Amino acid sequence: MSYFTIAGVQMHALHHGDNTEAMRHRVDVLMSRFPQVQMVLFSELMPLGASPHHAQPMPSAAEAMFCQLAEQHRIWLIPGSMFERVGESVYNTLSVIDPHGHVVARYRKQFPFLPYEAGVESGSEFVTFDVPNVGRFGVSICYDMWFPETTRTLAAMGAEVILHPTMTDTIDRDIELSIARTNAAVNQCYFFDINGAGALGNGRSIVVGPSGDVIHQAGTGEEIMPIEVDMNRVRRERETGLRGLGQPLKSFRDRRVDFSVYRSENGSTAFLDTLGPLAKPLRADVEEY
């Protein structure tokens, strides 16, 4: 099967509170209106809000509810992400749930938005999963996409669609739209960048095709975006090139250059070490008159 329908959900929700019942209702309405949908993707931290104080061990009651919902509608479900507690540590974790209600993967955000997402640990494992007879999907979360190595690694693992929930409520959203298009183009894949609305994001979710083409860009309010993807398009463009031109994945595979910066244990260099600590900028002293 080449065609597969994914619905991104951009919705208003509480910044600090339980939004799971609102999400359940949204899926019920979505599936009644668009029964062709096979996968549903929400934005980052949508279920329980943006406070690490709401972190729970996984599996959790919230995750179990989403498993029941996925089985009820026979859909793949990625309910954004939730803060996960593991001992004294907290992770920003995404669950991938199959149409039988089983959690087939969990992904921990590798790049918390430091220094603002304080107290959240970094994950270390890349996650892809296969939809039988359809193709391979990869997942990442919000700030991860600012680091091209994350999406490139997922593409190198065979991902044809990147599912990317985000929670952006800041003035850099326009830059993220460009990054989403770039990630799709240089990795020749679909890129679903789904943001929240209201307290959990300023919207403008974007779905991009494997040539970097914008399939849909949402406004700032609530929106449901059912998008049919064509896996054969990804495979064809990876074979013949973006618009019949560049073949960046093959060129990356066949490169002769050795990226020495990646040989460092911590990714640092003499120059990067001069940049100072990763900390919030402070207000400069103001002379009193």
Side-chain angles (χ1 to χ4, degrees):
M1 180 171 62
S2 174
Y3 298 105
F4 190 77
T5 302
I6 305 168
V9 179
Q10 177 175 292
M11 63 178 282
H12 286 273
L14 300 174
H15 193 274
H16 298 290
D18 189 335
N19 301 308
T20 55
E21 282 304 313
M23 295 171 68
R24 179 200 292 273
H25 175 70
R26 189 57 52 90
V27 171
D28 288 343
V29 171
L30 185 160
M31 294 308 301
S32 175
R33 188 177 182 191
F34 303 110
Q36 75 272 25
V37 167
Q38 295 156 284
M39 176 181 286
V40 177
L41 171 64
F42 284 89
S43 58
E44 180 188 21
L45 299 176
M46 178 57 64
L48 299 175
S51 173
H53 297 295
H54 297 148
Q56 301 177 358
M58 289 189 178
S60 65
E63 187 183 60
M65 186 280 283
F66 290 122
C67 289
Q68 181 274 328
L69 188 62
E71 183 179 21
Q72 173 189 340
H73 291 288
R74 305 291 289 177
I75 56 172
W76 291 84
L77 179 59
I78 296 88
S81 65
M82 295 176 275
F83 283 121
E84 174 193 14
R85 183 167 297 281
V86 181
E88 297 300 315
S89 299
V90 172
Y91 297 90
N92 188 337
T93 301
L94 170 157
S95 302
V96 178
I97 304 169
D98 73 12
H100 301 288
H102 300 144
V103 177
V104 299
R106 293 190 184 97
Y107 169 74
R108 292 171 175 166
K109 185 177 182 179
Q110 294 187 2
F111 288 92
F113 188 40
L114 299 177
Y116 298 94
E117 198 173 349
V120 179
E121 299 292 330
S122 301
S124 59
E125 301 294 328
F126 291 92
V127 170
T128 63
F129 64 96
D130 293 332
V131 173
N133 303 313
V134 175
R136 181 161 293 177
F137 294 71
V139 292
S140 61
I141 300 173
C142 199
Y143 200 42
D144 287 338
M145 79 170 181
W146 284 71
F147 304 88
E149 299 83 359
T150 58
T151 308
R152 175 53 53 84
T153 298
L154 293 171
M157 294 169 67
E160 297 164 301
V161 178
I162 306 298
L163 306 167
H164 182 80
T166 191
M167 191 204 80
T168 300
D169 60 356
T170 47
I171 61 174
D172 55 351
R173 182 60 184 160
D174 60 325
I175 302 171
E176 292 189 331
L177 300 179
S178 298
I179 294 173
R181 292 190 65 186
T182 301
N183 272 323
V186 301
N187 294 290
Q188 300 178 283
C189 63
Y190 286 97
F191 200 94
F192 280 71
D193 176 34
I194 304 302
N195 196 14
L200 285 181
N202 51 24
R204 301 171 71 192
S205 298
I206 190 170
V207 179
V208 188
S211 290
D213 51 301
V214 177
I215 296 173
H216 179 72
Q217 182 177 322
T220 58
E222 293 196 319
E223 194 165 335
I224 293 174
M225 297 154 274
I227 304 291
E228 183 181 77
V229 301
D230 182 0
M231 297 301 196
N232 281 342
R233 181 185 171 193
V234 176
R235 295 158 193 166
R236 179 63 176 167
E237 292 197 15
R238 286 179 171 179
E239 176 186 356
T240 64
L242 188 154
R243 301 178 183 175
L245 299 169
Q247 301 176 33
L249 283 183
K250 291 181 185 177
S251 293
F252 179 77
R253 178 199 65 194
D254 297 344
R255 71 190 185 280
R256 294 184 178 181
V257 62
D258 177 20
F259 298 113
S260 60
V261 66
Y262 296 125
R263 292 203 300 267
S264 168
E265 286 188 8
N266 61 5
S268 190
T269 67
F271 164 71
L272 293 176
D273 287 341
T274 69
L275 297 180
L278 179 57
K280 291 183 181 181
L282 299 177
R283 185 176 61 183
D285 290 337
V286 179
E287 183 178 354
E288 295 184 4
Y289 291 94

